[in-house]
Amino acid sequence: MNKVVIALMSGILFGAGLAYSGMADPSRVQSFLDLFGTWDPTLAFVMGGAVLPMAVAWMIKDRLTSPLAASSFDLPGTSKIDRSLAIGAILFGMGWGIAGLCPGPALADLALAPKAVLPFVVAMFVGMAAHRFIPVSST
């Protein structure tokens, strides 16, 4: 139960941060990507503001023997940049640029503008299901 409460509180904090910073607004994200038009640097400041607490969290993690809600840390290992990673990053970036949404803000936007964001969320879940159930070779 402790894990569920921590996950819920983390999600609420993340969603509140997205809403407060304006990053749940697709037009703000698209304006950040529009370098030669009406460029809006806000997203750079939000990302920069996330680096400091994350750096502190990594320093704290190094001093802990286990996380608060699990018996051990379960961190992904470092892997090489391969074709699947590159294609996935390109597809993610294209979708982010076209829609102005990525998974976190899209879910937060379901509460703010459900009709506008629902097609994106449905497509996102279809893509997740396809990734899970369709085997992909990374050669």
Side-chain angles (χ1 to χ4, degrees), residues 24-26 99-101 105-106 109-123:
D25 179 3
L101 291 167
D109 275 352
L110 281 175
L112 303 173
K115 287 182 183 177
V117 77
L118 190 59
F120 178 89
V121 172
V122 169

Side-chain angles (χ1 to χ4, degrees), residues 6 61 64-74:
I6 290 172
K61 182 214 64 87
L64 297 175
T65 56
S66 67
L68 298 174
S71 59
S72 65
F73 288 102
D74 185 20

Side-chain angles (χ1 to χ4, degrees), residues 1 7 15 19 23 34 44 52 67-68 72 76-78 85 89 92 106 111 116 123 135-136:
M1 183 64 174
M23 292 303 112
D34 187 6
L52 183 61
L68 298 174
S72 65
T78 304
L85 178 64
F92 178 89
V136 178

Side-chain angles (χ1 to χ4, degrees), residues 34-60:
D34 187 6
L35 298 177
F36 302 108
T38 56
W39 185 64
D40 179 358
T42 308
L43 180 58
F45 290 109
V46 171
M47 285 193 266
V51 170
L52 183 61
M54 195 64 225
V56 171
W58 277 103
M59 287 189 286
I60 291 170

